[in-house]
Amino acid sequence: MGELSIKIRIADREYPMKVKSEDEERIRKAGKKINEQLKFYREKFGIEDKQDLLAMVAFDSLVEKLQSEEDIHGYDESISEKVDELNKLLSDHLV
């Protein structure tokens, strides 16, 4: 799978890029989501300055990413605890 040359439009500007063909759909979805969030903030808060809108979207995206990482870390710890409990139960029953 080779690289594709695509253009992503964000905040009325085009950004040419080369992407792996298997990443194209994800990248296009990301561009679409950014534009949807820009529209949401523009309509909800009446903000027209693109830099302010992009900053809000970037901030919101990073908060969402950090929350996901915290959730994953919590799940990992929970799973690890459950595995330890199961190992202990098995060890107790095998002895």
Side-chain angles (χ1 to χ4, degrees), residues 5-56:
S5 293
I6 64 172
K7 292 180 182 177
I8 300 295
R9 188 172 206 69
I10 297 172
D12 299 325
R13 291 182 79 176
E14 278 194 350
Y15 296 91
M17 55 183 73
K18 290 187 183 264
V19 300
K20 294 178 185 174
S21 56
E22 62 262 27
D23 295 335
E24 179 187 11
E25 184 178 353
R26 184 180 318 106
I27 290 168
R28 290 193 185 278
K29 279 183 182 179
K32 183 178 179 184
K33 186 172 181 179
I34 290 169
N35 286 317
E36 288 169 354
Q37 288 179 303
L38 290 169
K39 181 180 176 190
F40 170 77
Y41 284 122
R42 184 175 31 253
E43 290 174 355
K44 183 170 182 171
F45 300 110
I47 299 168
E48 291 299 324
D49 183 80
K50 288 186 175 141
Q51 185 171 348
D52 288 342
L53 289 167
L54 288 166
M56 291 177 73

